[in-house]
Amino acid sequence: MILTIEIDQEDDGRWIAEVPELPGALAYGGTEEEAKAKVQAVALRVLADRLDHGETAAALTNISFAAA
């Protein structure tokens, strides 16, 4: 499973990153790298929760992130 990270800079200078394949998986950071790291952590938590509930286990054998 390849998850896409979309990242933009807000008007106030903060960076926002999101993973469109996982609704609600978004995070802010002071730098682009910080926002990417935070959203990857959020995405992995969402996927871990899905595994705990028996959802999409087969699709989660190989996970990687790609910048959009």
Side-chain angles (χ1 to χ4, degrees):
M1 169 183 276
I2 298 174
L3 300 172
T4 307
I5 297 175
E6 294 182 355
I7 190 158
D8 286 308
Q9 191 169 23
E10 299 283 302
D11 292 336
D12 63 4
R14 295 181 302 164
W15 289 86
I16 183 170
E18 73 173 310
V19 177
E21 296 89 354
L22 300 172
L26 61 94
Y28 285 95
T31 65
E32 185 175 359
E33 294 76 23
E34 182 182 3
K36 285 180 186 178
K38 285 183 175 183
V39 82
Q40 286 178 358
V42 169
L44 291 172
R45 287 185 190 109
V46 169
L47 295 174
D49 186 62
R50 288 184 180 182
L51 279 172
D52 283 344
H53 291 94
E55 302 171 32
T56 64
L60 301 180
T61 58
N62 185 13
I63 300 167
S64 62
F65 292 93

